[in-house]
Amino acid sequence: MSEISNTLPGRGPHQPLVFHDTHESHPANGTLLGFWVYLMSDCLIFACLFAAYGVLGREYAGGPTAQEVLELPAVAVNTSLLLLSSITYGFAVLAMQRNQRNPMLVWLVITGLLGAGFITLELREFAHLISIGAGPQRSAFLSSFFTLVGTHGLHVTCGLIWLVVLITQVLKKGLISANKRRLLCLSMFWHFLDVVWVGVFSFVYLMGVLP
Amino acid sequence: MSAHDELHAHGDDRGHDEDFGIHATFSGYMTGFVASVVLTVIPFWLVMGHVITKSSTAAVIILALAAVQIVVHMIYFLHMNAKSEGGWNMLALVFTIVLVVITLSGSIWIMYHLNSNMMPSMMDPSNLP
């Protein structure tokens, strides 16, 4: 037993070199940091689209105004769906931390359904706008509106595809370390989309309908 | 024996790395969720109930509530703090916020003035100094 302790660094009198791993010089896991940097680059894309909307959002070109075409009750439902999907994904992460596979999968499926509901409502809104002649080609306001809200919707759609892929992965391979890492990346992605939506419903919808 | 314990403890420590440094808690998520609901309901109520008639006041309140809600999401859902990932998370965030502020405020400021200068009244020679 004493032999073993002598071979360990820092044990015994004949060990001049002692290395301390302080965990301070570099992050424990590079993937999550890298994914965070990706999210920040996404944030810049949205900042540009928000800026474009901020500049063009009141240029109606004689077409319908934001007050006329944006419907707040539908947006309120949409917002609730996305916020609920954020908290259900949080519950999935909690179940993942306890290594409970099936509860986690149930929460993930609920998250996916809420996200799908969000996309469905948004597509219906777009279809309605286009059907009344308020498509993206009508005015600068509608161009920037469709670009900004549509880009967010595209992100949510990608998140949904990713979610389905991950559920399949977990079903096939179980809660292995790699899958946990992927689930945490998607959780950041999903919560980040909720953050962007806060900007969208405040800046585009609520401020858009103000007189 | 103590060496064995030490080895075992070390192995445990490696095992903890599977949590990837994120320690989500139920109370944390619920705090964030309740705060988000409140911060969402207030601006919708302000606008849909026509509580504030002055547009500029309503806009400032909406933006302020949105900013608070974004911070709430960052802390409770994205688990942001100054120590996560050895501080690099926060560094990337601060850098991005600086760029976002420059992009947003710069674009709106410059384009607003550009817009004003493009107004038809500017074309009228009698309006020239």
Side-chain angles (χ1 to χ4, degrees), chain A residues 99-114:
Chain A
N99 281 315
Q100 296 171 332
R101 197 190 76 145
N102 287 342
M104 188 202 78
L105 285 173
V106 170
W107 284 120
L108 285 184
V109 169
I110 295 173
T111 308
L113 290 177
L114 289 166

Side-chain angles (χ1 to χ4, degrees), chain B residues 80-106:
Chain B
M80 278 300 296
N81 60 56
K83 284 196 282 292
S84 63
E85 304 285 357
W88 292 103
N89 252 347
M90 188 57 86
L91 197 69
L93 177 67
V94 170
F95 178 60
T96 309
I97 289 173
V98 170
L99 288 184
V100 166
V101 167
I102 292 172
T103 311
L104 280 178
S105 59

Side-chain angles (χ1 to χ4, degrees), chain A residues 148-165:
Chain A
L148 173 56
V149 182
T151 306
H152 178 267
L154 188 65
H155 274 72
V156 177
T157 311
C158 291
L160 282 174
I161 296 170
W162 189 0
L163 189 68
V164 172
V165 170

Side-chain angles (χ1 to χ4, degrees), chain A residues 120-189:
Chain A
T120 311
L121 274 179
E122 190 162 283
L123 286 179
R124 279 185 58 182
E125 186 196 12
F126 283 3
H128 170 70
L129 285 177
I130 292 169
S131 71
I132 60 169
Q137 71 274 43
R138 181 61 190 87
S139 63
F141 150 64
L142 285 163
S143 298
S144 56
F145 168 84
F146 272 89
T147 313
L148 173 56
V149 182
T151 306
H152 178 267
L154 188 65
H155 274 72
V156 177
T157 311
C158 291
L160 282 174
I161 296 170
W162 189 0
L163 189 68
V164 172
V165 170
L166 266 184
I167 289 175
T168 317
Q169 288 258 28
V170 173
L171 281 173
K172 284 186 78 156
K173 305 240 167 97
L175 269 179
I176 57 174
S177 180
N179 277 345
K180 286 186 174 182
R181 192 182 65 229
R182 292 165 188 152
L183 283 161
L184 285 175
C185 282
L186 180 56
S187 89
M188 287 163 71
F189 186 78

